[in-house]
Amino acid sequence: MAPDPKNGSCQERLDVSEGSYPTISAIMFSAGVLGNVVAIILLEIRRRKQAASLFQVLVTSLVITDLLGTFSVSPLVLTAYLRNQSLLGMSENRFVCGHFAYAMTFFSMVTLAILLSMAAERWLSLGHPYFYEKRVSKRCGYITIALIYLLCALFCATPFFGFGKYIQYCPGTWCFIDMHPTVTKHKVFNIIYATCLLVMIVCTVLCNVSVIYHLSLMYRRRKAHHSSIKRQKGHKRHRSIAKEVEHLVLLGFMTIAFVICSLPLVIQLYFPGREDEKYGITPLTLLFVSVNPIIDPWVFIILSPPVPRLLWDKMCKTIKSKPTQEKVRSIHPVLYQKSPPGDSEGGSSLKVFTGIPGTAGS
């Protein structure tokens, strides 16, 4: 039996409950679209300068996934506020509510699966370099992304066939998994979904820890054999370690952001709370789930290697405004005059005159 909407439940509500405002949703939508578009532009600029690596392919797929997720749910929230209709009220057959819940569930799983793929790629490249060079390619990345999308799409569609349940939440602008199902198969769906998220989180963290371990080994080996390695090779090795650290920092912050955003949901799926809170879900939990696609692109924009390097180069060029001797000679050739070889110290044959008769400056 569905609870009475007047008693605070929004499961069957057809309008948006009072006291809710669209400002936060509009800000989140704008920030998400702007961040993802800027991130895609930066990735395209990098791709034109050099061939994209497998890691960059995975990062690009993650940004595109976040952008698709933002466009799948945020416009529906804003439309519900503008029309003062809940997601259920916007369609007679629950299609809008089902689409919203499906998109929330699907893109959460896909995002974490791609993050796991990025962590696994770094782990293989450092921990198993021979296998990585021989077996792993960009084609493997495209196949992995396609499999992730396919498997997540099939699993998240099972509530439409009776395994799992999507319902509406207050203020009528959210639809998601039923956190307090009474049917056993719906409970099983919740447990499987939470377990998948938890397993992927743990595996991603373990891969990142392994990458840190292998990076430390690389650094120790380089330091131990520094005296016996040529300077040029040592410089390349140093750049290789720096590049791996940049990838690790980017991946690490993205992982931390997703763990913070998804753990409250995982915990609430395992421990849904008291029975008198039925059909309720913590608003903060849904906020965290929806804010992750907004955080990811901005993390990439701030921590992506080309951005700090570009800013650093610009700053160095600004500071280095002092012209070289060759530039000064080309601009003011009168200031430079050849002198007899015997007049200069140390064999120098060039004197710079100040322009005052009888005086010269070096």
Side-chain angles (χ1 to χ4, degrees):
M1 179 179 177
D4 186 3
K6 295 180 180 180
N7 293 332
S9 173
C10 292
Q11 186 183 1
E12 301 295 335
R13 192 182 187 104
L14 300 181
D15 60 343
V16 179
S17 60
E18 297 179 0
S20 55
Y21 301 97
T23 307
I24 296 178
S25 299
I27 294 174
M28 291 172 59
F29 177 60
S30 302
V33 172
L34 177 62
N36 283 290
V37 169
V38 172
I40 290 174
I41 292 173
L42 291 176
L43 285 167
E44 179 62 21
I45 293 173
R46 184 194 298 183
R47 187 191 65 81
R48 292 184 178 182
K49 289 183 178 180
Q50 60 183 7
S53 63
L54 175 57
F55 186 82
Q56 292 174 354
V57 169
L58 295 174
V59 172
T60 303
S61 66
L62 178 64
V63 174
I64 293 175
T65 299
D66 288 337
L67 184 61
L68 292 175
T70 301
F71 272 113
S72 296
V73 297
S74 294
L76 294 177
V77 177
L78 297 177
T79 303
Y81 279 116
L82 291 174
R83 297 173 58 177
N84 194 27
Q85 288 182 320
S86 68
L87 298 182
L88 285 178
M90 292 169 63
S91 62
E92 297 180 357
N93 54 359
R94 307 178 69 95
F95 173 78
V96 176
C97 180
H99 165 77
F100 190 100
Y102 177 84
M104 291 281 290
T105 310
F106 170 76
F107 286 108
S108 296
M109 289 194 74
V110 171
T111 299
L112 185 50
I114 295 176
L115 278 174
L116 175 57
S117 300
M118 293 166 60
E121 188 269 345
R122 290 293 87 200
W123 169 67
L124 286 173
S125 67
L126 291 176
H128 306 276
Y130 181 79
F131 175 83
Y132 182 84
E133 291 293 332
K134 295 294 182 181
R135 302 286 183 178
V136 182
S137 63
K138 286 191 291 186
R139 182 182 178 184
C140 296
Y142 293 127
I143 294 174
T144 301
I145 294 168
L147 287 175
I148 288 173
Y149 266 79
L150 178 61
L151 294 176
C152 292
L154 292 176
F155 176 75
C156 295
T158 55
F160 299 124
F161 301 97
F163 183 67
K165 186 179 180 182
Y166 293 141
I167 63 171
Q168 181 175 267
Y169 291 97
C170 289
T173 57
W174 299 85
C175 285
F176 200 59
I177 300 170
D178 185 359
M179 305 299 289
H180 296 269
T182 56
V183 182
T184 303
K185 57 183 179 180
H186 299 341
K187 294 179 181 179
V188 173
F189 173 84
N190 289 6
I191 293 174
I192 293 175
Y193 178 70
T195 303
C196 288
L197 294 182
L198 186 60
V199 169
M200 287 191 288
I201 289 172
V202 172
C203 290
T204 302
V205 172
L206 290 177
C207 286
N208 288 338
V209 171
S210 178
V211 169
I212 294 173
Y213 171 73
H214 285 99
L215 280 176
S216 64
L217 289 181
M218 287 175 60
Y219 178 77
R220 290 176 184 175
R221 290 184 193 130
R222 186 185 68 85
K223 194 173 182 180
H225 300 284
H226 180 71
S227 57
S228 61
I229 300 177
K230 292 181 180 180
R231 179 173 295 183
Q232 184 177 1
K233 290 184 178 179
H235 179 64
K236 289 181 179 179
R237 190 66 172 173
H238 176 72
R239 288 187 63 183
S240 175
I241 293 177
K243 187 175 180 180
E244 294 294 342
V245 170
E246 289 172 348
H247 288 160
L248 177 63
V249 169
L250 175 62
L251 178 59
F253 273 91
M254 284 184 170
T255 304
I256 291 172
F258 194 89
V259 169
I260 293 174
C261 292
S262 60
L263 266 185
L265 173 63
V266 174
I267 293 172
Q268 194 161 359
L269 284 169
Y270 278 123
F271 308 101
R274 302 188 307 270
E275 188 66 19
D276 58 359
E277 296 175 344
K278 195 170 185 178
Y279 304 112
I281 183 173
T282 307
L284 196 59
T285 300
L286 285 176
L287 180 62
F288 278 154
V289 172
S290 59
V291 83
N292 185 74
I294 302 172
I295 296 177
D296 279 343
W298 288 107
V299 170
F300 173 79
I301 293 169
I302 296 172
L303 299 179
S304 182
V307 176
R309 290 176 189 170
L310 181 63
L311 294 176
W312 178 256
D313 290 343
K314 291 288 185 184
M315 202 161 62
C316 290
K317 286 179 182 179
T318 303
I319 296 175
K320 265 185 171 183
S321 57
K322 213 173 179 184
T324 61
Q325 191 180 63
E326 291 295 329
K327 288 182 179 179
V328 174
R329 182 187 301 171
S330 64
I331 299 173
H332 303 287
V334 183
L335 298 179
Y336 292 84
Q337 179 179 338
K338 294 282 184 179
S339 62
D343 292 348
S344 60
E345 295 182 2
S348 174
S349 61
L350 181 67
K351 282 190 176 181
V352 182
F353 289 87
T354 61
I356 303 174
T359 63
S362 56

